[in-house]
Short mmCIF file of all heavy atoms in Angstrom, two decimals:
data_model
loop_
_atom_site.label_atom_id
_atom_site.label_comp_id
_atom_site.label_asym_id
_atom_site.label_seq_id
_atom_site.Cartn_x
_atom_site.Cartn_y
_atom_site.Cartn_z
N GLN A 1 8.97 -2.20 1.61
CA GLN A 1 9.62 -0.90 1.71
C GLN A 1 10.46 -0.60 2.78
O GLN A 1 10.22 -1.22 3.93
CB GLN A 1 8.24 0.13 1.72
CG GLN A 1 8.82 1.54 1.94
CD GLN A 1 7.85 2.60 1.36
OE1 GLN A 1 6.80 2.07 1.15
NE2 GLN A 1 8.22 3.76 1.21
N ASP A 2 11.61 -0.02 2.65
CA ASP A 2 12.62 0.26 3.65
C ASP A 2 12.07 1.34 4.58
O ASP A 2 12.06 2.51 4.16
CB ASP A 2 13.86 0.71 3.02
CG ASP A 2 15.00 0.89 4.14
OD1 ASP A 2 14.82 0.44 5.13
OD2 ASP A 2 15.81 1.59 3.68
N CYS A 3 11.65 1.05 5.90
CA CYS A 3 11.24 2.07 6.82
C CYS A 3 12.32 2.46 7.73
O CYS A 3 12.10 3.29 8.73
CB CYS A 3 10.09 1.55 7.53
SG CYS A 3 8.55 1.26 6.48
N ALA A 4 13.59 2.05 7.42
CA ALA A 4 14.74 2.34 8.40
C ALA A 4 14.96 3.86 8.32
O ALA A 4 15.62 4.42 9.32
CB ALA A 4 15.98 1.53 7.95
N ARG A 5 14.54 4.54 7.35
CA ARG A 5 14.80 6.01 7.26
C ARG A 5 14.07 6.79 8.35
O ARG A 5 14.40 7.91 8.53
CB ARG A 5 14.41 6.56 5.89
CG ARG A 5 12.97 6.50 5.52
CD ARG A 5 12.75 6.83 4.07
NE ARG A 5 11.40 6.48 3.68
CZ ARG A 5 10.54 7.36 3.30
NH1 ARG A 5 10.99 8.59 3.18
NH2 ARG A 5 9.32 7.08 2.95
N PHE A 6 13.11 6.14 9.01
CA PHE A 6 12.36 6.86 10.14
C PHE A 6 13.09 6.51 11.40
O PHE A 6 12.87 5.44 11.96
CB PHE A 6 10.97 6.44 10.15
CG PHE A 6 10.17 6.70 8.81
CD1 PHE A 6 9.67 5.65 8.13
CD2 PHE A 6 9.98 7.96 8.42
CE1 PHE A 6 9.01 5.96 6.92
CE2 PHE A 6 9.30 8.31 7.26
CZ PHE A 6 8.88 7.17 6.53
N GLY A 7 13.88 7.50 11.91
CA GLY A 7 14.51 7.27 13.24
C GLY A 7 13.68 7.57 14.39
O GLY A 7 14.03 7.17 15.48
N ASP A 8 12.52 8.08 14.22
CA ASP A 8 11.58 8.44 15.31
C ASP A 8 10.49 7.32 15.63
O ASP A 8 10.16 6.67 14.56
CB ASP A 8 10.88 9.83 15.14
CG ASP A 8 11.92 11.00 15.17
OD1 ASP A 8 12.86 10.91 15.91
OD2 ASP A 8 11.78 11.81 14.32
N SER A 9 10.17 7.22 16.84
CA SER A 9 8.95 6.33 17.04
C SER A 9 7.73 7.05 16.79
O SER A 9 7.68 8.29 16.75
CB SER A 9 9.09 5.75 18.39
OG SER A 9 9.01 6.83 19.35
N PHE A 10 6.61 6.25 16.54
CA PHE A 10 5.20 7.10 16.47
C PHE A 10 4.17 6.25 16.99
O PHE A 10 4.35 5.00 17.27
CB PHE A 10 5.02 7.30 14.94
CG PHE A 10 4.88 6.03 14.09
CD1 PHE A 10 3.54 5.62 13.90
CD2 PHE A 10 5.91 5.37 13.57
CE1 PHE A 10 3.41 4.49 13.11
CE2 PHE A 10 5.83 4.26 12.68
CZ PHE A 10 4.43 3.72 12.55
N VAL A 11 3.07 6.94 17.15
CA VAL A 11 1.77 6.36 17.62
C VAL A 11 0.77 6.69 16.62
O VAL A 11 0.60 8.04 16.28
CB VAL A 11 1.37 6.79 19.04
CG1 VAL A 11 0.03 6.31 19.38
CG2 VAL A 11 2.39 6.40 20.12
N LEU A 12 0.16 5.77 16.09
CA LEU A 12 -0.92 6.11 14.92
C LEU A 12 -2.28 5.70 15.53
O LEU A 12 -2.52 4.47 15.97
CB LEU A 12 -0.62 5.17 13.74
CG LEU A 12 -1.65 5.40 12.67
CD1 LEU A 12 -1.78 6.84 12.14
CD2 LEU A 12 -1.28 4.40 11.47
N MET A 13 -3.15 6.63 15.69
CA MET A 13 -4.53 6.39 16.44
C MET A 13 -5.54 6.55 15.45
O MET A 13 -5.55 7.28 14.52
CB MET A 13 -4.75 7.48 17.44
CG MET A 13 -3.59 7.40 18.55
SD MET A 13 -3.75 8.82 19.77
CE MET A 13 -2.71 10.02 19.02
N ASN A 14 -6.51 5.67 15.61
CA ASN A 14 -7.69 5.61 14.66
C ASN A 14 -8.98 5.18 15.44
O ASN A 14 -8.96 4.40 16.38
CB ASN A 14 -7.47 4.50 13.62
CG ASN A 14 -8.52 4.53 12.54
OD1 ASN A 14 -9.25 5.41 12.43
ND2 ASN A 14 -8.58 3.43 11.90
N GLY A 15 -10.04 5.92 15.17
CA GLY A 15 -11.32 5.62 15.81
C GLY A 15 -11.37 6.11 17.24
O GLY A 15 -12.20 5.66 17.98
N LEU A 16 -10.59 7.10 17.56
CA LEU A 16 -10.73 7.68 18.92
C LEU A 16 -11.23 9.08 18.84
O LEU A 16 -11.00 9.80 17.84
CB LEU A 16 -9.23 7.77 19.59
CG LEU A 16 -8.51 6.42 19.69
CD1 LEU A 16 -7.16 6.67 20.21
CD2 LEU A 16 -9.20 5.44 20.53
N ASP A 17 -11.98 9.45 19.94
CA ASP A 17 -12.46 10.94 19.93
C ASP A 17 -11.52 11.77 20.73
O ASP A 17 -10.47 11.14 21.31
CB ASP A 17 -13.86 10.92 20.49
CG ASP A 17 -13.98 10.49 22.02
OD1 ASP A 17 -12.96 10.58 22.66
OD2 ASP A 17 -15.17 10.03 22.34
N ASP A 18 -11.69 12.99 20.71
CA ASP A 18 -10.80 13.85 21.43
C ASP A 18 -10.62 13.59 23.00
O ASP A 18 -9.45 13.65 23.36
CB ASP A 18 -11.36 15.27 21.31
CG ASP A 18 -11.18 15.92 19.99
OD1 ASP A 18 -10.40 15.33 19.20
OD2 ASP A 18 -11.91 16.85 19.78
N GLN A 19 -11.54 13.11 23.60
CA GLN A 19 -11.45 12.77 24.96
C GLN A 19 -10.51 11.56 25.08
O GLN A 19 -9.68 11.59 26.01
CB GLN A 19 -12.81 12.38 25.62
CG GLN A 19 -12.84 12.16 27.19
CD GLN A 19 -14.12 11.91 27.66
OE1 GLN A 19 -15.13 12.18 27.09
NE2 GLN A 19 -14.14 11.39 28.86
N ASP A 20 -10.71 10.48 24.28
CA ASP A 20 -9.74 9.37 24.26
C ASP A 20 -8.38 9.86 24.11
O ASP A 20 -7.41 9.24 24.87
CB ASP A 20 -10.23 8.36 23.22
CG ASP A 20 -11.60 7.74 23.50
OD1 ASP A 20 -11.95 7.64 24.63
OD2 ASP A 20 -12.13 7.30 22.44
N ILE A 21 -8.10 10.70 23.17
CA ILE A 21 -6.76 11.07 22.82
C ILE A 21 -6.18 11.88 23.94
O ILE A 21 -4.95 11.58 24.33
CB ILE A 21 -6.67 11.96 21.50
CG1 ILE A 21 -7.09 11.00 20.34
CG2 ILE A 21 -5.30 12.53 21.32
CD1 ILE A 21 -7.34 11.72 19.02
N GLN A 22 -6.91 12.67 24.56
CA GLN A 22 -6.39 13.48 25.72
C GLN A 22 -6.03 12.57 26.92
O GLN A 22 -5.16 12.74 27.56
CB GLN A 22 -7.44 14.56 26.20
CG GLN A 22 -7.59 15.65 25.25
CD GLN A 22 -6.21 16.39 25.13
OE1 GLN A 22 -5.39 16.57 25.99
NE2 GLN A 22 -5.86 16.78 23.87
N GLU A 23 -6.88 11.51 27.08
CA GLU A 23 -6.61 10.48 28.19
C GLU A 23 -5.27 9.78 27.95
O GLU A 23 -4.55 9.57 28.77
CB GLU A 23 -7.79 9.57 28.27
CG GLU A 23 -7.59 8.60 29.42
CD GLU A 23 -8.94 7.68 29.73
OE1 GLU A 23 -9.95 8.19 29.48
OE2 GLU A 23 -8.71 6.58 30.23
N ILE A 24 -5.12 9.42 26.71
CA ILE A 24 -3.83 8.80 26.27
C ILE A 24 -2.59 9.70 26.60
O ILE A 24 -1.66 9.12 27.13
CB ILE A 24 -3.79 8.41 24.79
CG1 ILE A 24 -4.80 7.22 24.42
CG2 ILE A 24 -2.35 7.98 24.34
CD1 ILE A 24 -5.04 6.92 23.03
N PHE A 25 -2.67 10.97 26.31
CA PHE A 25 -1.70 11.85 26.56
C PHE A 25 -1.42 11.96 28.01
O PHE A 25 -0.33 12.00 28.67
CB PHE A 25 -1.87 13.28 26.07
CG PHE A 25 -1.77 13.41 24.60
CD1 PHE A 25 -2.65 14.17 23.80
CD2 PHE A 25 -0.86 12.62 23.84
CE1 PHE A 25 -2.62 14.32 22.47
CE2 PHE A 25 -0.83 12.76 22.47
CZ PHE A 25 -1.62 13.66 21.82
N GLN A 26 -2.48 12.02 28.87
CA GLN A 26 -2.40 12.16 30.28
C GLN A 26 -1.76 10.86 30.94
O GLN A 26 -0.94 10.96 31.72
CB GLN A 26 -3.78 12.48 30.90
CG GLN A 26 -4.26 13.85 30.57
CD GLN A 26 -5.73 13.99 31.05
OE1 GLN A 26 -6.50 13.06 31.50
NE2 GLN A 26 -6.21 15.23 30.96
N GLN A 27 -2.24 9.77 30.41
CA GLN A 27 -1.74 8.52 30.96
C GLN A 27 -0.18 8.42 30.63
O GLN A 27 0.56 7.86 31.41
CB GLN A 27 -2.57 7.29 30.39
CG GLN A 27 -3.91 7.26 30.92
CD GLN A 27 -3.92 6.97 32.35
OE1 GLN A 27 -3.25 6.12 32.88
NE2 GLN A 27 -5.09 7.51 32.93
N ALA A 28 0.24 8.72 29.50
CA ALA A 28 1.65 8.69 29.06
C ALA A 28 2.38 9.53 29.97
O ALA A 28 3.48 9.12 30.50
CB ALA A 28 1.71 9.17 27.51
N GLU A 29 1.87 10.72 30.17
CA GLU A 29 2.72 11.61 31.12
C GLU A 29 2.85 11.00 32.50
O GLU A 29 3.94 11.19 33.09
CB GLU A 29 1.99 13.00 31.05
CG GLU A 29 2.85 14.05 31.80
CD GLU A 29 2.13 15.41 31.65
OE1 GLU A 29 1.72 15.83 30.64
OE2 GLU A 29 2.15 16.12 32.73
N GLN A 30 1.67 10.59 32.98
CA GLN A 30 1.66 9.91 34.36
C GLN A 30 2.68 8.82 34.37
O GLN A 30 3.27 8.49 35.54
CB GLN A 30 0.21 9.69 34.79
CG GLN A 30 -0.51 10.76 35.05
CD GLN A 30 -2.06 10.49 35.35
OE1 GLN A 30 -2.36 9.23 35.35
NE2 GLN A 30 -2.78 11.52 35.57
N ALA A 31 2.77 8.04 33.37
CA ALA A 31 3.59 6.87 33.35
C ALA A 31 5.08 7.17 33.10
O ALA A 31 5.95 6.34 33.28
CB ALA A 31 3.11 5.98 32.16
N GLY A 32 5.35 8.56 32.84
CA GLY A 32 6.63 8.86 32.72
C GLY A 32 7.41 8.57 31.56
O GLY A 32 8.58 8.21 31.56
N TRP A 33 6.64 8.48 30.31
CA TRP A 33 7.29 8.23 29.12
C TRP A 33 8.50 9.04 28.91
O TRP A 33 8.47 10.27 29.10
CB TRP A 33 6.31 8.62 27.96
CG TRP A 33 5.44 7.50 27.59
CD1 TRP A 33 5.06 6.44 28.34
CD2 TRP A 33 4.51 7.49 26.40
NE1 TRP A 33 4.07 5.74 27.78
CE2 TRP A 33 3.68 6.24 26.55
CE3 TRP A 33 4.41 8.17 25.28
CZ2 TRP A 33 2.90 5.85 25.55
CZ3 TRP A 33 3.57 7.83 24.41
CH2 TRP A 33 2.77 6.75 24.45
N GLN A 34 9.61 8.42 28.54
CA GLN A 34 10.80 9.10 28.27
C GLN A 34 10.98 9.59 26.86
O GLN A 34 11.69 10.45 26.53
CB GLN A 34 12.00 8.20 28.68
CG GLN A 34 12.05 7.84 30.09
CD GLN A 34 12.21 9.07 31.13
OE1 GLN A 34 13.05 9.86 30.76
NE2 GLN A 34 11.40 9.19 32.06
N CYS A 35 10.24 8.74 25.96
CA CYS A 35 10.35 9.24 24.59
C CYS A 35 9.13 10.08 24.24
O CYS A 35 8.18 10.15 24.95
CB CYS A 35 10.32 7.96 23.81
SG CYS A 35 8.75 7.07 23.71
N ARG A 36 9.25 10.89 23.24
CA ARG A 36 8.10 11.71 22.65
C ARG A 36 7.84 11.13 21.30
O ARG A 36 8.38 11.74 20.28
CB ARG A 36 8.46 13.14 22.66
CG ARG A 36 8.82 13.67 24.08
CD ARG A 36 7.43 13.97 24.70
NE ARG A 36 7.51 14.62 26.03
CZ ARG A 36 7.02 14.14 27.05
NH1 ARG A 36 6.35 13.06 27.06
NH2 ARG A 36 7.22 14.84 28.26
N PRO A 37 7.07 10.16 21.17
CA PRO A 37 6.73 9.61 19.81
C PRO A 37 6.02 10.66 19.05
O PRO A 37 5.20 11.41 19.50
CB PRO A 37 5.97 8.40 19.98
CG PRO A 37 5.34 8.62 21.39
CD PRO A 37 6.28 9.48 22.09
N ILE A 38 6.14 10.53 17.65
CA ILE A 38 5.23 11.36 16.84
C ILE A 38 3.70 10.73 16.82
O ILE A 38 3.54 9.63 16.74
CB ILE A 38 5.67 11.22 15.33
CG1 ILE A 38 7.10 11.81 15.28
CG2 ILE A 38 4.71 11.91 14.41
CD1 ILE A 38 7.74 11.49 13.87
N MET A 39 2.83 11.67 17.38
CA MET A 39 1.45 11.21 17.45
C MET A 39 0.74 11.72 16.24
O MET A 39 0.72 12.76 15.74
CB MET A 39 0.83 11.89 18.67
CG MET A 39 1.61 11.76 19.97
SD MET A 39 1.40 10.03 20.45
CE MET A 39 0.91 10.22 22.07
N MET A 40 -0.02 10.67 15.65
CA MET A 40 -0.76 10.84 14.42
C MET A 40 -2.11 10.29 14.59
O MET A 40 -2.30 9.29 15.15
CB MET A 40 -0.05 10.19 13.17
CG MET A 40 1.35 10.67 12.99
SD MET A 40 2.28 9.82 11.53
CE MET A 40 2.39 8.16 12.29
N VAL A 41 -3.11 10.94 13.98
CA VAL A 41 -4.40 10.46 14.02
C VAL A 41 -4.97 10.25 12.49
O VAL A 41 -4.74 11.13 11.65
CB VAL A 41 -5.32 11.59 14.74
CG1 VAL A 41 -6.85 11.11 14.66
CG2 VAL A 41 -4.91 11.75 16.06
N VAL A 42 -5.55 9.25 12.30
CA VAL A 42 -6.26 8.87 11.00
C VAL A 42 -7.39 9.78 10.88
O VAL A 42 -8.24 9.89 11.76
CB VAL A 42 -6.58 7.34 10.97
CG1 VAL A 42 -7.36 7.10 9.48
CG2 VAL A 42 -5.42 6.54 11.05
N THR A 43 -7.45 10.52 9.70
CA THR A 43 -8.55 11.38 9.48
C THR A 43 -9.20 10.97 8.07
O THR A 43 -8.62 10.12 7.44
CB THR A 43 -8.15 12.86 9.36
OG1 THR A 43 -7.31 12.85 8.21
CG2 THR A 43 -7.42 13.24 10.61
N GLU A 44 -10.32 11.52 7.77
CA GLU A 44 -10.91 11.28 6.35
C GLU A 44 -9.85 11.70 5.28
O GLU A 44 -9.76 11.06 4.19
CB GLU A 44 -12.21 12.15 6.25
CG GLU A 44 -13.45 11.54 6.88
CD GLU A 44 -13.78 10.13 6.49
OE1 GLU A 44 -13.60 9.90 5.15
OE2 GLU A 44 -14.05 9.30 7.31
N HIS A 45 -9.14 12.79 5.56
CA HIS A 45 -8.17 13.32 4.54
C HIS A 45 -6.98 12.32 4.34
O HIS A 45 -6.57 12.22 3.15
CB HIS A 45 -7.61 14.77 5.05
CG HIS A 45 -6.61 15.21 4.06
ND1 HIS A 45 -6.99 15.84 2.93
CD2 HIS A 45 -5.31 15.44 4.24
CE1 HIS A 45 -5.78 16.08 2.31
NE2 HIS A 45 -4.83 15.96 3.10
N ASN A 46 -6.64 11.63 5.34
CA ASN A 46 -5.28 10.85 5.24
C ASN A 46 -5.54 9.38 5.27
O ASN A 46 -4.58 8.52 5.28
CB ASN A 46 -4.21 11.26 6.29
CG ASN A 46 -4.65 10.98 7.71
OD1 ASN A 46 -5.54 10.07 7.98
ND2 ASN A 46 -4.07 11.83 8.70
N ARG A 47 -6.76 8.83 5.43
CA ARG A 47 -7.04 7.44 5.71
C ARG A 47 -6.50 6.49 4.64
O ARG A 47 -6.31 5.32 4.85
CB ARG A 47 -8.40 7.31 5.98
CG ARG A 47 -9.41 7.31 4.82
CD ARG A 47 -10.92 6.84 5.24
NE ARG A 47 -11.32 7.16 6.51
CZ ARG A 47 -11.40 6.47 7.58
NH1 ARG A 47 -10.98 5.20 7.60
NH2 ARG A 47 -11.78 6.94 8.76
N ASN A 48 -6.34 6.97 3.43
CA ASN A 48 -5.81 6.11 2.34
C ASN A 48 -4.35 6.23 2.11
O ASN A 48 -3.78 5.68 1.25
CB ASN A 48 -6.60 6.39 1.15
CG ASN A 48 -7.92 5.92 1.20
OD1 ASN A 48 -8.37 4.90 1.75
ND2 ASN A 48 -8.93 6.75 0.66
N TRP A 49 -3.68 7.02 2.94
CA TRP A 49 -2.21 7.30 2.81
C TRP A 49 -1.54 6.06 3.28
O TRP A 49 -1.87 5.32 4.26
CB TRP A 49 -1.82 8.53 3.57
CG TRP A 49 -2.33 9.82 2.96
CD1 TRP A 49 -3.16 9.94 1.90
CD2 TRP A 49 -2.04 11.06 3.53
NE1 TRP A 49 -3.41 11.38 1.81
CE2 TRP A 49 -2.55 12.01 2.74
CE3 TRP A 49 -1.11 11.56 4.49
CZ2 TRP A 49 -2.54 13.39 2.89
CZ3 TRP A 49 -1.11 12.76 4.82
CH2 TRP A 49 -1.72 13.86 3.88
N THR A 50 -0.26 5.87 2.85
CA THR A 50 0.68 4.78 3.46
C THR A 50 1.16 5.46 4.71
O THR A 50 1.18 6.81 4.91
CB THR A 50 1.84 4.46 2.49
OG1 THR A 50 2.62 5.72 2.29
CG2 THR A 50 1.36 3.89 1.17
N VAL A 51 1.70 4.62 5.59
CA VAL A 51 2.32 5.02 6.89
C VAL A 51 3.56 5.98 6.44
O VAL A 51 3.70 7.07 7.08
CB VAL A 51 2.79 3.96 7.70
CG1 VAL A 51 3.61 4.42 8.91
CG2 VAL A 51 1.52 3.18 8.26
N ALA A 52 4.24 5.55 5.39
CA ALA A 52 5.42 6.45 5.03
C ALA A 52 5.03 7.77 4.56
O ALA A 52 5.68 8.84 4.98
CB ALA A 52 6.14 5.69 3.80
N LYS A 53 3.86 7.96 3.75
CA LYS A 53 3.45 9.15 3.34
C LYS A 53 2.99 10.09 4.65
O LYS A 53 3.22 11.32 4.66
CB LYS A 53 2.36 9.09 2.26
CG LYS A 53 1.76 10.40 1.90
CD LYS A 53 0.65 10.18 0.76
CE LYS A 53 0.03 11.34 0.52
NZ LYS A 53 0.80 12.53 -0.22
N LEU A 54 2.23 9.37 5.51
CA LEU A 54 1.81 10.07 6.71
C LEU A 54 2.90 10.65 7.50
O LEU A 54 2.94 11.87 8.00
CB LEU A 54 0.88 9.15 7.52
CG LEU A 54 0.14 9.67 8.66
CD1 LEU A 54 -0.79 11.03 8.42
CD2 LEU A 54 -0.70 8.67 9.37
N LEU A 55 3.91 9.78 7.72
CA LEU A 55 5.02 10.29 8.49
C LEU A 55 5.79 11.37 7.88
O LEU A 55 6.27 12.34 8.46
CB LEU A 55 6.07 9.08 8.83
CG LEU A 55 5.70 8.03 9.96
CD1 LEU A 55 6.55 6.85 9.82
CD2 LEU A 55 5.82 8.80 11.33
N ASP A 56 6.04 11.35 6.44
CA ASP A 56 6.68 12.35 5.81
C ASP A 56 5.75 13.70 5.90
O ASP A 56 6.46 14.74 6.21
CB ASP A 56 6.76 12.05 4.35
CG ASP A 56 7.82 10.96 3.96
OD1 ASP A 56 8.69 10.83 4.82
OD2 ASP A 56 7.84 10.51 2.86
N GLU A 57 4.51 13.59 5.82
CA GLU A 57 3.67 14.84 5.93
C GLU A 57 3.73 15.42 7.39
O GLU A 57 3.90 16.62 7.48
CB GLU A 57 2.26 14.48 5.54
CG GLU A 57 1.31 15.63 5.51
CD GLU A 57 1.65 16.82 4.56
OE1 GLU A 57 2.31 16.44 3.63
OE2 GLU A 57 1.20 17.94 4.73
N VAL A 58 3.60 14.54 8.35
CA VAL A 58 3.67 14.98 9.75
C VAL A 58 5.02 15.55 10.03
O VAL A 58 5.10 16.61 10.74
CB VAL A 58 3.23 13.95 10.71
CG1 VAL A 58 3.49 14.13 12.14
CG2 VAL A 58 1.71 13.44 10.43
N SER A 59 5.96 14.93 9.55
CA SER A 59 7.48 15.49 9.81
C SER A 59 7.64 16.84 9.19
O SER A 59 8.15 17.86 9.73
CB SER A 59 8.51 14.50 9.31
OG SER A 59 8.37 13.31 10.03
N ARG A 60 7.13 17.01 7.94
CA ARG A 60 7.19 18.38 7.28
C ARG A 60 6.36 19.42 7.96
O ARG A 60 6.95 20.46 8.16
CB ARG A 60 6.61 18.09 5.86
CG ARG A 60 6.71 19.45 4.94
CD ARG A 60 5.91 19.19 3.63
NE ARG A 60 4.58 19.21 3.76
CZ ARG A 60 3.81 20.25 4.08
NH1 ARG A 60 4.31 21.42 4.16
NH2 ARG A 60 2.48 20.13 4.16
N GLU A 61 5.20 19.10 8.44
CA GLU A 61 4.36 20.01 9.26
C GLU A 61 5.18 20.45 10.53
O GLU A 61 5.05 21.63 10.95
CB GLU A 61 3.05 19.39 9.60
CG GLU A 61 2.10 19.30 8.27
CD GLU A 61 0.81 18.59 8.58
OE1 GLU A 61 0.65 18.22 9.79
OE2 GLU A 61 -0.04 18.37 7.65
N HIS A 62 5.70 19.36 11.16
CA HIS A 62 6.44 19.69 12.44
C HIS A 62 7.61 20.63 12.18
O HIS A 62 7.70 21.60 12.87
CB HIS A 62 6.88 18.41 13.03
CG HIS A 62 7.67 18.50 14.26
ND1 HIS A 62 7.13 18.95 15.50
CD2 HIS A 62 9.06 18.55 14.55
CE1 HIS A 62 8.04 19.09 16.47
NE2 HIS A 62 9.23 18.87 15.85
N ARG A 63 8.33 20.48 11.08
CA ARG A 63 9.52 21.33 10.78
C ARG A 63 8.92 22.69 10.57
O ARG A 63 9.55 23.81 11.05
CB ARG A 63 10.29 20.80 9.62
CG ARG A 63 11.18 19.58 9.99
CD ARG A 63 12.18 19.28 8.82
NE ARG A 63 11.50 19.03 7.59
CZ ARG A 63 10.94 17.82 7.20
NH1 ARG A 63 11.01 16.80 7.97
NH2 ARG A 63 10.33 17.67 6.00
N LEU A 64 7.82 22.78 9.79
CA LEU A 64 7.31 24.13 9.41
C LEU A 64 6.78 24.81 10.79
O LEU A 64 7.03 26.08 11.07
CB LEU A 64 6.14 23.94 8.47
CG LEU A 64 5.41 25.26 8.12
CD1 LEU A 64 6.40 26.21 7.37
CD2 LEU A 64 4.13 24.92 7.29
N LEU A 65 6.11 24.16 11.72
CA LEU A 65 5.68 24.71 12.94
C LEU A 65 6.86 25.17 13.73
O LEU A 65 6.74 26.17 14.42
CB LEU A 65 4.75 23.82 13.62
CG LEU A 65 3.48 23.50 12.95
CD1 LEU A 65 2.63 22.43 13.76
CD2 LEU A 65 2.61 24.88 13.02
N MET A 66 7.92 24.44 13.67
CA MET A 66 9.11 24.81 14.58
C MET A 66 9.70 26.11 14.14
O MET A 66 10.12 26.97 14.82
CB MET A 66 10.14 23.66 14.58
CG MET A 66 9.62 22.43 15.35
SD MET A 66 9.26 22.72 16.99
CE MET A 66 10.80 22.91 17.69
N LYS A 67 9.74 26.20 12.71
CA LYS A 67 10.31 27.37 12.12
C LYS A 67 9.41 28.72 12.49
O LYS A 67 9.88 29.67 12.75
CB LYS A 67 10.46 27.37 10.62
CG LYS A 67 11.60 26.44 10.28
CD LYS A 67 11.81 26.45 8.80
CE LYS A 67 13.03 25.45 8.53
NZ LYS A 67 13.80 25.79 7.38
N VAL A 68 8.14 28.41 12.39
CA VAL A 68 7.19 29.48 12.70
C VAL A 68 7.29 29.93 14.21
O VAL A 68 7.43 31.21 14.58
CB VAL A 68 5.66 29.11 12.44
CG1 VAL A 68 4.64 30.06 13.18
CG2 VAL A 68 5.37 28.95 11.04
N GLY A 69 7.64 28.97 15.06
CA GLY A 69 7.88 29.30 16.46
C GLY A 69 9.18 29.95 16.67
O GLY A 69 9.08 30.92 17.58
N GLU A 70 10.02 29.73 15.89
CA GLU A 70 11.32 30.48 15.95
C GLU A 70 11.22 31.97 15.62
O GLU A 70 11.93 32.81 16.09
CB GLU A 70 12.40 29.80 15.13
CG GLU A 70 12.88 28.56 15.66
CD GLU A 70 13.79 27.83 14.62
OE1 GLU A 70 14.17 28.31 13.68
OE2 GLU A 70 14.11 26.68 14.96
N LEU A 71 10.33 32.20 14.64
CA LEU A 71 10.04 33.50 14.20
C LEU A 71 9.23 34.45 15.12
O LEU A 71 9.35 35.68 15.02
CB LEU A 71 9.51 33.50 12.75
CG LEU A 71 10.29 32.86 11.74
CD1 LEU A 71 9.48 32.77 10.39
CD2 LEU A 71 11.56 33.65 11.36
N SER A 72 8.45 33.82 15.86
CA SER A 72 7.69 34.53 16.81
C SER A 72 8.28 34.87 18.14
O SER A 72 9.33 34.55 18.52
CB SER A 72 6.23 33.98 17.12
OG SER A 72 6.41 32.64 17.43
#
């Protein structure tokens, strides 16, 4: 499958609890990450999805949230 259509980088996390995820965010900020990758977590709902489907869904949700933010 051609994944070149995804111009953004991403981090896919699995098997982490909320504390682990928060620590990753804190460490990334302290390390001075210049990029802001799409952060995704494997859930019961999406665990059987392809990476392409997951990225498409997360991107769609992000666009929707940005529009909601513009309206408020």
Side-chain angles (χ1 to χ4, degrees):
Q1 175 152 9
D2 179 20
C3 292
R5 65 190 170 119
F6 301 115
D8 296 318
S9 59
F10 68 91
V11 174
L12 179 60
M13 297 175 272
N14 186 23
L16 303 174
D17 61 27
D18 289 341
Q19 183 177 348
D20 293 333
I21 293 170
Q22 287 303 314
E23 186 172 329
I24 289 169
F25 289 146
Q26 290 171 354
Q27 293 292 325
E29 187 174 316
Q30 289 174 2
W33 274 15
Q34 297 299 310
C35 67
R36 293 284 185 233
I38 297 169
M39 303 293 236
M40 301 178 294
V41 178
V42 175
T43 66
E44 284 298 318
H45 178 73
N46 66 25
R47 76 172 38 258
N48 293 318
W49 293 3
T50 64
V51 172
K53 179 177 171 70
L54 186 56
L55 278 169
D56 284 343
E57 181 66 18
V58 169
S59 296
R60 186 188 66 77
E61 289 174 4
H62 178 73
R63 285 190 304 274
L64 179 63
L65 290 172
M66 295 303 289
K67 287 186 183 209
V68 168
E70 291 172 5
L71 296 174
S72 49

